[in-house]
Amino acid sequence: MFELIFSLPQPYLWALILGSLIIYFPTRKAYADYRIRKLGGVRSVLLASNPITGLAFFGDAAYKQMNDRLLDFYDGLFSKHGTPECPNCVEIASFGIVRFIMTREPEHVKTVLTTKFGEYGKGHQFHESWSPFLGDSIFTTDGQLWSESRALIRPMFIRDRVRDLDIFDKWTTALMNKLPPSGQMVDMMDLFYRMTLDVTTDFLLGYSVGSLDNPTHEFVDAFQEVQRIQMLLTILSPFRAFVPKYRYKRGIRILERFIEPYIARTLALTPEELEKLSKSDKDFTFLHNIARSTRDAKVIRDQLMAVLIAGRDTTAATLSWTIYELANYPAIFRKLRNEILATVGTSRAPTYEDLKSMTYLTHTLNETLRLYPAVPYNLRAALQDTSLPGRPGQPNIAVLKGDVVVYSALSMQRRRDLCPEVSDKFADPAVFDPDRWDYWTPKAWNYVPFNGGPRICVGQNFAMTEMAFTLVRLLQKYHRLEYRGDWNAQYHRAEIVGAPGHGVPVAFYEAEYGDVA
């Protein structure tokens, strides 16, 4: 049959192909519509149902991401195409098969993360796209594999382990030793990313990559390159086969080459030696803990990669945004510093209890995470036919098996209609203001910087403790902070984790004896 088809003259062959496509895509859409009606639901606002119109949206998304304007693209989907019945949820079905449903509705986030947790997951497509980098780790799997991954990781993030602040003290001290003299400019984002990489590799492997001392280490460059390409592969998911992957694969090989000797060294220890180490030695690491449960080098490699990206980038980006905002609000900086000095003075290292007792410090970090959630965009795939709740009085949005729900904490947490009216106690939601947290608590699922439900970030307390400790040590020493770039020119660089696109060029001024504010 195929021989007969390909023997046709070219004009007839192209006419046959074009005719087949003209029939195929409307047929696929009609079949999807039938399944949606059978479920008793409706579509969200449909923006594209074929490759021609769909390609325009994916191309625009890729262009905006590469030019650091992805939030403009995402918000524009709703401002341009939202309807009164469905103002914050739209969809694209570029090949008529898998639908990409974009949302910023809290009830939708709640549904995929908890209410219908078992009906949504990472899915096959996400796993296939991310597995070269993160393998079968906690971030790429569902069901039993995910449960096993979480069980491997969780013991190293229990409260008793996080309370030991020695590793934070060690690397915060190393960071501060890299700061220039009082009044001289430094890019704090660069230092934060280097410090958190040292913290994370030390915590995971018992040995730091040495990023603070060697910022041009090939590991650092490869780590950044792999993440950049991975984000592009995710955005262009239906077309990812056409994205060049040489640099991506090369970067992954560099990362693996770095961690493999540590895995081999750990697997050389007997179970008895690992058990003894866990009870008696402060050098017991995340790697040792995983090796107690599995001797599979690939399983260990995958979990290390996952925690590496979570531990390094999210913390560094949040600290960077915090310093960026504090540099523009001297009154907030002074208020935070006064709380810190009243609690621990100018030199004493804070304890875990000290950090948890400083309300304004917590409010400052919460406000940063409201404006700049570390993971700005996330997704879940439907593992079976299911739905998302419609607005009051509207039918549910049907979600078919394999459909992908993309949600954005960044877009959702900035929605003015989800916030109180502007007043003396509640500043404009676009403005950085930790004081709002004295009078306001976000409604459930309006604020999800660490996700929620069973997949809530297992390292949340570790990250918050590390960030709080770092800010305390900085503000103990410095009584003033100046921004040395164009504050208004800053932009949100959205890769896997969102970071300041211009870095954070600032100057710290060291406190003199007797300075309080």
Side-chain angles (χ1 to χ4, degrees):
M1 177 181 175
F2 288 106
E3 289 181 6
L4 177 62
I5 292 173
F6 287 109
S7 68
L8 292 172
Q10 274 203 356
Y12 292 102
L13 179 60
W14 283 112
L16 178 62
I17 293 172
L18 182 61
S20 298
L21 293 176
I22 290 173
I23 295 171
Y24 174 78
F25 290 111
T27 302
R28 288 295 312 188
K29 180 182 180 299
Y31 179 59
D33 288 340
Y34 164 74
R35 292 176 62 194
I36 288 168
R37 288 194 301 273
K38 191 174 179 181
L39 281 174
V42 297
R43 286 183 180 270
S44 53
V45 179
L46 180 62
L47 306 184
S49 60
N50 61 72
I52 297 173
T53 53
L55 183 60
F57 281 100
F58 283 104
D60 190 24
Y63 175 80
K64 294 285 176 57
Q65 192 270 333
M66 293 172 69
N67 288 275
D68 302 297
R69 294 168 54 202
L70 193 57
L71 180 60
D72 291 342
F73 168 79
Y74 200 85
D75 284 344
L77 293 175
F78 311 110
S79 62
K80 296 174 186 175
H81 305 288
T83 65
E85 296 76 24
C86 193
N88 293 295
C89 188
V90 299
E91 66 178 77
I92 297 171
S94 57
F95 284 95
I97 305 171
V98 174
R99 297 154 65 211
F100 289 84
I101 301 171
M102 275 72 72
T103 183
R104 56 178 184 175
E105 280 288 356
E107 285 300 314
H108 293 173
V109 176
K110 176 183 177 181
T111 296
V112 301
L113 294 183
T114 184
T115 309
K116 296 185 176 181
F117 175 77
E119 298 174 21
Y120 290 94
K122 293 296 185 175
H124 171 74
Q125 190 171 1
F126 183 90
H127 180 270
E128 186 178 333
S129 175
W130 284 69
S131 60
F133 182 21
L134 300 185
D136 296 324
S137 69
I138 191 171
F139 294 137
T140 61
T141 53
D142 298 310
Q144 186 62 29
L145 273 178
W146 170 78
S147 297
E148 291 171 358
S149 293
R150 193 171 178 90
L152 282 175
I153 289 173
R154 182 165 184 163
M156 287 302 288
F157 291 102
I158 59 174
R159 181 174 170 178
D160 287 346
R161 288 199 174 274
V162 176
R163 287 169 61 96
D164 185 353
L165 306 182
D166 286 353
I167 193 169
F168 304 140
D169 197 14
K170 172 183 175 181
W171 291 109
T172 302
T173 300
L175 166 84
M176 295 180 69
N177 287 338
K178 297 295 180 184
L179 294 176
S182 182
Q184 293 189 17
M185 190 183 78
V186 61
D187 182 0
M188 284 306 295
M189 187 177 88
D190 175 62
L191 285 181
F192 283 143
Y193 268 80
R194 288 156 59 188
M195 181 197 79
T196 56
L197 183 58
D198 285 342
V199 170
T200 307
T201 49
D202 193 357
F203 175 72
L204 293 178
L205 309 173
Y207 178 83
S208 164
V209 72
S211 182
L212 278 170
D213 289 327
N214 184 15
T216 59
H217 195 293
E218 68 168 356
F219 181 95
V220 179
D221 295 336
F223 196 62
Q224 194 67 33
E225 180 78 356
V226 168
Q227 290 186 69
R228 184 187 66 80
I229 299 172
Q230 187 69 72
M231 184 66 174
L232 189 61
L233 290 170
T234 303
I235 290 174
L236 293 176
S237 182
F239 310 97
R240 67 179 184 272
F242 303 103
V243 178
K245 301 182 183 66
Y246 170 75
R247 296 172 68 87
Y248 175 70
K249 293 176 181 178
R250 184 188 65 179
I252 291 172
R253 286 195 299 269
I254 291 171
L255 301 181
E256 291 174 339
R257 191 164 63 237
F258 177 80
I259 66 174
E260 280 169 358
Y262 298 99
I263 296 174
R265 191 181 308 160
T266 299
L267 289 177
L269 297 172
T270 66
E272 292 76 19
E273 288 172 323
L274 285 169
E275 189 63 32
K276 182 179 179 181
L277 193 62
S278 72
K279 295 178 180 177
S280 61
D281 199 325
K282 290 191 75 173
D283 292 332
F284 184 71
T285 67
F286 181 91
L287 178 54
H288 293 135
N289 183 69
I290 297 180
R292 291 172 66 198
S293 301
T294 179
R295 311 297 287 180
D296 188 325
K298 183 183 182 303
V299 171
I300 297 173
R301 173 260 186 225
D302 293 349
Q303 304 305 338
L304 284 176
M305 285 289 195
V307 178
L308 184 62
I309 189 172
R312 181 246 190 174
D313 289 58
T314 56
T315 307
T318 304
L319 282 169
S320 298
W321 284 118
T322 304
I323 293 298
Y324 163 74
E325 290 287 0
L326 288 175
N328 196 53
Y329 295 100
I332 296 174
F333 184 93
R334 287 193 299 269
K335 183 173 180 178
L336 177 58
R337 185 167 191 262
N338 287 341
E339 179 186 65
I340 289 168
L341 296 187
T343 306
V344 295
T346 58
S347 59
R348 178 171 70 82
T351 64
Y352 181 82
E353 288 71 23
D354 289 329
L355 297 176
K356 296 304 177 185
S357 73
M358 286 186 262
T359 303
Y360 200 68
L361 175 60
T362 301
H363 288 177
T364 299
L365 288 171
N366 285 345
E367 180 68 353
T368 301
L369 288 166
R370 182 188 69 82
L371 278 173
Y372 311 102
V375 181
Y377 306 95
N378 216 322
L379 59 83
R380 292 292 185 269
L383 304 179
Q384 63 186 66
D385 288 351
T386 181
S387 65
L388 295 172
R391 289 174 68 81
Q394 298 295 324
N396 287 345
I397 297 167
V399 184
L400 306 178
K401 182 178 180 180
D403 288 347
V404 176
V405 178
V406 181
Y407 61 96
S408 172
L410 177 68
S411 181
M412 182 179 73
Q413 291 175 186
R414 292 174 174 227
R415 279 178 53 186
R416 291 177 180 271
D417 61 310
L418 296 179
C419 296
E421 293 291 327
V422 174
S423 67
D424 292 341
K425 294 183 178 180
F426 194 90
D428 186 321
V431 173
F432 179 81
D433 182 24
D435 290 286
R436 76 175 81 244
W437 293 79
D438 283 330
Y439 312 100
W440 169 75
T441 300
K443 292 181 180 178
W445 302 101
N446 288 16
Y447 175 74
V448 288
F450 294 99
N451 264 333
R455 286 188 104 130
I456 193 169
C457 175
V458 72
Q460 175 179 349
N461 193 28
F462 184 93
M464 290 293 283
T465 303
E466 180 181 359
M467 293 187 294
F469 190 95
T470 304
L471 289 174
V472 167
R473 289 314 238 169
L474 283 170
L475 270 67
Q476 280 180 302
K477 183 174 181 179
Y478 299 103
H479 79 107
R480 191 158 64 89
L481 175 63
E482 285 184 0
Y483 194 72
R484 291 292 178 85
D486 182 350
W487 194 83
N488 292 311
Q490 188 62 270
Y491 62 91
H492 187 273
R493 189 184 72 213
E495 293 181 350
I496 297 172
V497 171
H502 280 309
V504 184
V506 294
F508 283 99
Y509 289 83
E510 191 166 350
E512 297 178 2
Y513 181 77
D515 277 330
V516 175

